[in-house]
Amino acid sequence: MNGKSIYTSVIMAGFGGQGLMFIGKLLAYSAMKRGLHVTWIPSYGPEMRGGTANCTVVVSSEPIGSPVIQKPESLIVMNNPSLEAFEPRLKAGGLLFLNADLVTRPATRTDINVIALPANDEAVRVGEHRAANMVVFGAYVARGGILSRDDVAAGLSGLFGEKAASKLEVNMKAFDAGVKYAQAAPARA
Amino acid sequence: MNGKSIYTSVIMAGFGGQGLMFIGKLLAYSAMKRGLHVTWIPSYGPEMRGGTANCTVVVSSEPIGSPVIQKPESLIVMNNPSLEAFEPRLKAGGLLFLNADLVTRPATRTDINVIALPANDEAVRVGEHRAANMVVFGAYVARGGILSRDDVAAGLSGLFGEKAASKLEVNMKAFDAGVKYAQAAPARA
Amino acid sequence: MNTEAQEMERIFERPRALRSATTHYCPGCGHGITHRLVAEVIDELGIRETIVGVAPVGCSVLMYNYFDIDMFEASHGRAPAIATGFKRARPDLPVFTYQGDGDLAAIGIAETIHAAARGEKFTTIFINNATYGMTGGQMAPTTLVGQKTATSPTGRNCETAGYPIKVCEMLATLDAPSYIARVSVSSAKHVLKAKQAISKAFQLQLKGFPYTFVEVLSPCPTDWHMTPQEAVEWLEENMFPQYPLGEVKAPKEGV
Amino acid sequence: MNTEAQEMERIFERPRALRSATTHYCPGCGHGITHRLVAEVIDELGIRETIVGVAPVGCSVLMYNYFDIDMFEASHGRAPAIATGFKRARPDLPVFTYQGDGDLAAIGIAETIHAAARGEKFTTIFINNATYGMTGGQMAPTTLVGQKTATSPTGRNCETAGYPIKVCEMLATLDAPSYIARVSVSSAKHVLKAKQAISKAFQLQLKGFPYTFVEVLSPCPTDWHMTPQEAVEWLEENMFPQYPLGEVKAPKEGV
Amino acid sequence: MEKLFMTGNEAIAEAAVRAGCRYYFGYPITPQNEIPEYMVKRLPEVGGVFLQAESEIASIFMVYGAAGSGARVMTSSASPGISLKQEGISYIAAAELPCVIVNMMRGGPGLGGIQPSQSDYFQATKGGGHGDYHLFVLAPATVQEAADLCLEAFDIADRYRNPVMILGDGVLGQMMEPVSFQDRRPAADLPEKTWALTGTKGRAANVVKTLNLDPSVLEKHNLKLQEKYKRMAKEEVRVECYQVDDAEIVIAAYGTVARIAKTAIQALREKGIKAGLVRPITLYPFPYKTFADIAPKVRKILTVEMSLGQMVEDVRLAVGDKTEVCFFGRCGGIVPGYEEIVVEVEKLTAKVAR
Amino acid sequence: MEKLFMTGNEAIAEAAVRAGCRYYFGYPITPQNEIPEYMVKRLPEVGGVFLQAESEIASIFMVYGAAGSGARVMTSSASPGISLKQEGISYIAAAELPCVIVNMMRGGPGLGGIQPSQSDYFQATKGGGHGDYHLFVLAPATVQEAADLCLEAFDIADRYRNPVMILGDGVLGQMMEPVSFQDRRPAADLPEKTWALTGTKGRAANVVKTLNLDPSVLEKHNLKLQEKYKRMAKEEVRVECYQVDDAEIVIAAYGTVARIAKTAIQALREKGIKAGLVRPITLYPFPYKTFADIAPKVRKILTVEMSLGQMVEDVRLAVGDKTEVCFFGRCGGIVPGYEEIVVEVEKLTAKVAR
Amino acid sequence: MSESKTQKKPKRARIAIDEHFCKGCGLCVDNCPQHIISISGTVATSGYYPAQCPDPENKCTGCTLCARICPDVAIEVFKAKKVDGGAH
Amino acid sequence: MSESKTQKKPKRARIAIDEHFCKGCGLCVDNCPQHIISISGTVATSGYYPAQCPDPENKCTGCTLCARICPDVAIEVFKAKKVDGGAH
Ligand SMILES: Cc1ncc(C[n+]2csc(CCOP(=O)(O)OP(=O)(O)O)c2C)c(N)n1
Ligand SMILES: Cc1ncc(C[n+]2csc(CCOP(=O)(O)OP(=O)(O)O)c2C)c(N)n1
Ligand code: SF4
Ligand code: SF4
Ligand code: SF4
Ligand code: SF4
Ligand code: SF4
Ligand code: SF4
Ligand SMILES: [Mg+2]
Ligand SMILES: [Mg+2]
């Protein structure tokens, strides 16, 4: 809203099991730890069977009105049906993050910024094939400008609990890969 | 209410099986056949088990408001508990008909007219021990002044249907016994 | 008389758990007999001050006016759910439901089956009088084929209204119930056996056994349109063949 | 290829009663198999244009999107009541309900038992997947002892949650049902038998026999948290002992 | 026409049969048992089916099933039983299945009592079930009117594809009054039931359902229902005005209480108090306009109910601040005597005079 | 205090446990399954009991049973499941048993959908069951408030011996937000539960019942309940007024919609339109007075709901003719965007300007 | 019916029927093995014709069967105390 | 595995798997007595990895077991027509 305040909204969508709910919670949780207002809301119900799953996160310095967002500022998309469903809803000028390894068709809108990255490949490269979500998340955080790397690391260990130091490490590696990618990739205007 | 119009209300109460519901219906039905407005409403529900049963009849030349009457103009009582329950509700100056064979205590109010008659005895005398209800009904009709004997006879055959001519006859005999009794009996003021 | 009284001792009297109140039941009604049996068992087991009962909706809805114990009034059919909720909160107290056949076998069959399947640790006394007593004698799930009721005026027709449910046998297909028995209160002899079964059910509950269930074949002279004598005869002649008496299920170990 | 095709005839294809639609079922779900069996039987009996189905609330709530027949959507558990109401109004049409174990054995057990006790002349296909599929895998009345679900996270504890209900055996205590069988769709071999049972149930209905019932043991890989392969193995290993396959009740006269 | 002498329950049952109702599903409960007990004898005479269900829940879904076949069908119960039907009623309203549901109200809440009451007004008119739906609610005051409205109820149900409730009470159900029946066929202009399930022969498959997982589709369905309710409100409001023209005080009452109020009004007029009655016959759609029109002309409106104040809210919604709306109620099974109403009105007019 | 990150469902469950709730009975239904799934793990930790019932009907009567022991107990469900509980709710209200009932509303009627909705307002506030009773109804708008109100709900239930409903929707239930919990013991001044069933030892027998065959006794009981509702209305009304002081137009909204309305109000004020919000937190007792007081000062009230118009009636009852009450609603699972509310208010203010 | 049978024995037992509770159902009449209970011809204040057991011939054995079948707990049974060499 | 077994026979039968319906559950794989069905390594537009049955050795017998277990009616089975002296 006004200059100094923070407000951002993002929808993350893909198949169930791709870890989108998790990175949504990670975003919200890390931001909460920073003292920000956050909401996270999942899609729910039987449409999850075989279809797409998604969640919406809002981060704000002020109390949050609706956790349900018609036109999010960013979009993370991990499969074709999700691109179909959500591309039209992205705010004009918004950021679209694509896992290019799974999303096989290009975005059609021209009034948005698309960051496409080979998240699966990157995940395999860092040694955890299930961490494609963290790769995309890295890119998102890098471009979103709300969280620092430390925020995310703190958030991760908060969510994982003490015992999972190794898990933390590989996930942060994937995150870093995403960050790097986002910084390098030219955003298509 | 006004002079020419007809309006009367009566509660009939006793044990279940004493035929009070029946004479209530007979009154209402006969009056209906005369072209009058009538309502009949029974007590209902589990209090009938072992307790008292009663019905309320209203006959009127005008459409009837409440079929439920707080202070009836007449009362027919066939057992002690009913006297207990309903005597206080009789309108001042109203008529109380008692089956003296079963109601063993006297009425206590002094602002009402009591017609006590040995209905069981009379019924046995006319040859139908179950017709005590008709004896009391005869007394009621005789004092009530709304129905004629023919009205009642017509009502009875309407309710009984064709086949029960003999039943009709003995019931009318019981009725007549009641009429006679009522005409003879001095009403205690 | 005076001297005689001194020499006599009272060997049968109103149980403590029953109030000295006239019931609203019709003459010859099996509810009265069964009430007394339950009350006697409560007395004998010394649990009047701990037991909690659940009354059904049916002729026995007012049974809390007769029993001098803590009681719930249930909604129609839901006594087992109420007993479950209560017993889960107070596993230390003995609990029983008392239910008619409309209540238990029609509207409340789901609650009964599931309480039984879960092995809830209360006792159910099930009054099978083959009709809906309270509402004026309509057909119950236990009404016999051919039996006339207010809603089967020409007799229960199995083609359109099906067959009576044998609740004991149905519950016996479940693993959890520890005791299931069917008794009758149609004669003094049967009353004695009925009391034994009721007592066994309560005793098992006190020992921690799951779900115990006693079905009581019970006359309803009023809605059967019979004298009390005719009613008990009709019961033995017609209900006994359909509803065999005896223990359908009992723990191996005796009580 | 072209010439080859000319020489080949299609011996297995999508039944006419099933629309050419992708279902929303998870990979390896038994609902899909059972749908096809029911559709094949409908085709084979030539009743696609007369039959009316009743869908439950559960994973198969949308089955009317897949079957090309007239259908009701029920409320949760009430399919038997709806089928009863419909069949009473249209005794000339074949009718079936299709219900999950939460739907039929939990919330709807009363409606099932009473439709069966009355001998309503419709067929019930009962999908026993030992869980509430649609709502995310909670404990069902058919969940096995020890089975982990969302509401029995440490495994169903028989002390607090009781034992699974054997619906076929319970219904078999009733007089009216004419056919009660339990089958499985865990392998092609069992699928063949399942179809026979379903066909028999429908055929009996068409001949005027009362209440016919087929329980189908059915994998739910998603809520069992297994692969489809693991699911069918788990089913055969664990559900078969608890739920023996076979005809529990059938008319004396063969069909 | 021949006058029969019948209870309200029986008259409703007979009227239903004459309206073409052939299927009845119900579960016993006082004070409406005369309906099933009449139906069990009467329906077989006309080739219909009576079935006593295992519960009120089963009954209402049997109605759902039979109504889905396109048949005319009815159920009846009383207060606690009607509460159990709320899920089913919401489904029937959602699926737009025509049927008739009778509630012979008794005292609540809970098991309450079995004597007459009007304390289910909110439940009947605002929707005791979940979601934005409405029953069409008819409130007869006499046995004759019960019969007449029941005859119409089936047409209304078919016309709007909506469940219709006949809202009576123990007095109406148990009371006997003279009644005569018109023979009445379904109205000629009723929509054909192309949605009914009859087997797919010769057409695409029909589905009777209420689920719409897509919110925009579900919203559209709700808006369609809402349109229908508006249409009802435009076309179907029924209300009786009795001695209202010169009235200074108007009683608002329905059903049993309304007839008692008439006696009260006669008594009041004999005392020189100009009282009148507005009697909603349709409780939903409610005669808001009648009340709104009358409000500026009267000093006060006294709503009288056998409840502790339910319809009074609709009366107040109708009249806003245009007149004072007062309330008098008895409950728990007590039927107010006309004398009490007279006293109540006198109190109000006394205050007015001050 | 430590902030946890929880769904509304979980927060309610945790708050209940902290409020001393030890018994939970429920049946799965979307979108509230996180409550039972939380309780099944949490209650055994504190010596409590979780039990999945065979149905919503069984659940509500298990609540009746456990509440009758004097324990703190809760159930939860969503719209169709709550409809099934109506008979039980009426019984619990009649028997004056304290308990907490959660309804996470979804689109109706019928099976409807599983997405958020507010279309059970009438059912919750006017009484979906039979008889003259009322639930105490709380409508939290945030996860934190859900936790806070749930903590209080058990005290309110005990204080008034009345069932308390927490009325949320799919958004509130599914959404995660930061939340912190006070540890809260039952208030010190709560009445002792001398009516509870515990065995008769040392006292006369207690009965938990709702039947009163004698109408005058039943009426008395109803009047007693009514007294209690009046007491609640006097003592317990909760309402939030947001930017109302200088407002020309006020939005009336509760729960999820209210928080969206706040965003709309911020946007409107940036555009120079003086909008405010009145947010009822207790839906019953309803903050009639707040609305009545505000009415003369504002040009219009816009009621916004995720339904097709239910609370709007209470708002109209509150304000009478003192100001115009308009309505905007989405339904069927559609959560209105704040932008839509802005547009709607702009339309109204444009008309005002004319 | 033989002389010896009707000969008066000492009273071993007796029952007391409470007219206030008795509804005259007659079940005790049918269940008494000694056939010594009958229904009175006089109506009680309850409205029912109560059972009575005058037992002039002291036939009552105190078997309690009448009491056990009585639905209205109207019957109490008394039995002669065994005379032993005890404290009395 | 023996020479004779893997020797190519004439095609008696074949199946067609519709990728649009197949969800890659693998039940057909397990139920094929000839073990000739496998899961493809290429994702289909549905998002699933569908089953495939290249059957280069013409082992398919047309037993239909794969089709009968398939929860998604993704399989059609074709069988060579018996060559008789008929109209063809
Ligand atoms: C929900 C509900 N439905 C129906 C009733 C009416 N009703 C009261 S008792 C009863 C049946 C009683 O029969 P049963 O359970 O067999 O008990 P009995 O009177 O025979 O002992 C019915 C249907 C009710 N009170 N509540
Ligand atoms: C009255 C009501 N209660 C609960 C639900 C939620 N619900 C939907 S499906 C379901 C259970 C499904 O399980 P099951 O019947 O076994 O079918 P499955 O999905 O396993 O095939 C439940 C509890 C509902 N829709 N309506
Ligand atoms: S109606 Fe039947 S069950 Fe009820 S009290 Fe009378 S005899 Fe007993
Ligand atoms: S959740 Fe289970 S039952 Fe439902 S579709 Fe998936 S596998 Fe089938
Ligand atoms: S105690 Fe025995 S012998 Fe004596 S009266 Fe009773 S039944 Fe007869
Ligand atoms: S059994 Fe009891 S109630 Fe019946 S007659 Fe004998 S003493 Fe009286
Ligand atoms: S038809 Fe038989 S042999 Fe051929 S692929 Fe299918 S299962 Fe294998
Ligand atoms: S069984 Fe069907 S869905 Fe499963 S892999 Fe084989 S073809 Fe695909
Ligand atoms: Mg019974
Ligand atoms: Mg299931």
Side-chain angles (χ1 to χ4, degrees), chain B residues 21-112:
Chain B
M21 299 289 154
F22 178 77
I23 57 171
K25 283 185 201 173
L26 178 58
L27 167 61
Y29 182 79
S30 308
M32 175 184 93
K33 287 285 170 193
R34 275 262 320 270
L36 292 165
H37 294 269
V38 298
T39 62
W40 171 94
I41 189 167
S43 62
Y44 59 88
E47 81 275 20
M48 289 173 70
R49 306 248 168 287
T52 69
N54 69 78
C55 66
T56 305
V57 177
V58 180
V59 177
S60 170
S61 50
E62 309 298 318
I64 295 165
S66 185
V68 177
I69 301 297
Q70 296 308 318
K71 298 209 153 283
E73 298 175 356
S74 306
L75 190 58
I76 295 179
V77 157
M78 299 275 273
N79 69 2
N80 287 329
S82 297
L83 185 63
E84 213 73 52
F86 292 103
E87 187 188 355
R89 279 175 52 187
L90 184 59
K91 217 174 206 169
L95 291 171
L96 169 59
F97 299 85
L98 292 178
N99 180 346
D101 288 336
L102 298 172
V103 179
T104 54
R105 76 151 178 84
T108 54
R109 279 174 62 181
T110 54
D111 61 341
I112 57 175

Side-chain angles (χ1 to χ4, degrees), chain C residues 57-156:
Chain C
V57 177
C59 276
S60 49
V61 61
L62 294 170
M63 66 184 281
Y64 43 78
N65 289 344
Y66 312 137
F67 279 80
D68 192 13
I69 61 171
D70 273 11
M71 286 201 80
F72 282 102
E73 172 193 279
S75 120
H76 192 36
R78 316 308 175 195
I82 293 170
T84 297
F86 184 84
K87 185 86 188 195
R88 294 287 179 138
R90 289 301 303 267
D92 54 321
L93 302 184
V95 173
F96 74 103
T97 71
Y98 182 104
Q99 306 179 250
D101 42 7
D103 191 85
L104 182 142
I107 194 170
I109 191 75
E111 286 75 12
T112 293
I113 285 175
H114 281 276
R118 287 190 305 264
E120 297 295 340
K121 296 186 173 64
F122 63 82
T123 299
T124 290
I125 307 296
F126 168 44
I127 303 292
N128 178 353
N129 59 10
T131 193
Y132 288 27
M134 183 184 225
T135 42
Q138 291 83 1
M139 192 180 77
T142 48
T143 293
L144 303 184
V145 172
Q147 186 184 338
K148 285 183 190 171
T149 71
T151 48
S152 60
T154 55
R156 181 178 187 159

Side-chain angles (χ1 to χ4, degrees), chain G residues 15 32-34 36-37 60-66:
Chain G
I15 66 169
C32 172
Q34 301 299 320
I36 54 179
I37 314 182
C60 177
T61 63
C63 70
T64 74
L65 294 180
C66 55

Side-chain angles (χ1 to χ4, degrees), chain B residues 172-184:
Chain B
M172 286 309 293
K173 265 194 196 162
F175 177 87
D176 291 337
V179 171
K180 228 169 89 191
Y181 216 91
Q183 286 162 345

Side-chain angles (χ1 to χ4, degrees), chain C residues 27-28, chain G residues 17-18 21-29 37 39 49-51 66 69-75:
Chain G
I17 298 172
D18 189 333
F21 289 112
C22 175
K23 290 177 185 152
C25 71
L27 290 179
C28 55
V29 175
I37 314 182
I39 296 295
Y49 294 84
C66 55
I69 197 68
C70 176
D72 287 281
V73 207
I75 302 179

Side-chain angles (χ1 to χ4, degrees), chain E residues 267-295:
Chain E
L268 284 161
R269 290 203 169 244
E270 281 175 20
K271 294 184 178 206
I273 297 172
K274 286 184 185 158
L277 170 74
V278 174
R279 175 172 77 92
I281 297 168
T282 52
L283 300 182
Y284 190 94
F286 189 79
Y288 289 113
K289 194 171 155 358
T290 308
F291 282 103
D293 290 349
I294 273 168

